[in-house]
Amino acid sequence: MVSDNWTVGKVAQRAGVAVSALHFYERKGLIRSYRNAGNQRRYTSDVLRRISVIKAAQKLGISLEEIRETFATLPEGRTPTQQDWERLSTQWQDQLDARIRYLERLKDYLTGCIGCGCLSMKKCPLYNADDKLSQEGSGPVLLDREGTP
Ligand code: FES
């Protein structure tokens, strides 16, 4: 039994998002609506919590696809509970930490590139970061590998 009967306009107003954003979230499978007897789109009030989680995650740089995948791990696609949020925010914090470390490394690389402009495959860490193939030799390493029976 559906306990609420919220219009898209009411949800948009309460959540502080555009109606078009709600339709977009719904197309992406992030929120759900139902149809009332008059075939009008309606939402239950728990959609506000889902939207809050979506907006918070987006601020962390989590993509909508990642958010959708995370929501899909919840039992029966339920709205995240407080315990769910603790787990999700911890997971996203780890992702954010990894992204910060990656960006700091790129910043260090960029410092060495400022004023250079060589974009050399051999020495530029931005252009060819972590050149793992160079450990297998020079030249068309991948072509040689693929051509070997
Ligand atoms: S541009 Fe020369 S080292 Fe990156």
Side-chain angles (χ1 to χ4, degrees):
M1 179 70 185
V2 177
S3 60
D4 300 295
N5 192 26
W6 291 36
T7 64
V8 68
K10 182 177 179 182
V11 173
Q13 180 186 24
R14 292 288 296 268
V17 298
V19 168
S20 60
L22 295 177
H23 292 309
F24 182 73
Y25 291 160
E26 194 162 345
R27 279 196 309 276
K28 293 289 183 184
L30 295 165
I31 62 173
R32 289 185 304 268
S33 65
Y34 67 94
R35 296 286 174 168
N36 67 8
N39 198 31
Q40 295 165 320
R41 187 189 310 258
R42 293 291 185 262
Y43 296 88
T44 54
S45 59
D46 66 333
V47 74
L48 292 178
R49 185 168 179 84
R50 284 180 87 88
I51 294 167
S52 297
V53 172
I54 293 165
K55 300 304 289 179
Q58 282 189 297
K59 282 193 172 141
L60 296 173
I62 309 296
S63 72
L64 291 178
E65 181 57 25
E66 289 172 300
I67 299 168
R68 190 195 62 71
E69 288 171 3
T70 302
F71 281 174
T73 66
L74 299 173
E76 298 170 13
R78 74 165 184 240
T79 294
T81 62
Q82 187 171 355
Q83 281 115 351
D84 292 331
W85 172 249
E86 286 174 23
R87 181 176 58 82
L88 299 181
S89 57
T90 299
Q91 173 188 326
W92 288 334
Q93 183 180 40
D94 292 344
Q95 285 180 256
L96 191 58
D97 287 343
R99 195 172 309 131
I100 288 169
R101 285 192 301 275
Y102 174 73
L103 289 173
E104 284 174 344
R105 202 173 77 206
L106 282 182
K107 184 180 166 198
D108 290 344
Y109 290 162
L110 180 61
T111 300
C113 291
I114 290 174
C116 177
C118 70
L119 293 173
S120 163
M121 284 286 284
K122 284 194 172 177
K123 79 171 207 184
C124 180
L126 275 183
Y127 185 61
N128 192 22
D130 302 328
D131 185 6
K132 294 183 178 126
L133 279 180
S134 68
Q135 295 162 12
E136 297 180 32
S138 61
V141 174
L142 284 178
L143 287 176
D144 287 348
R145 186 188 308 155
E146 290 170 4
T148 306

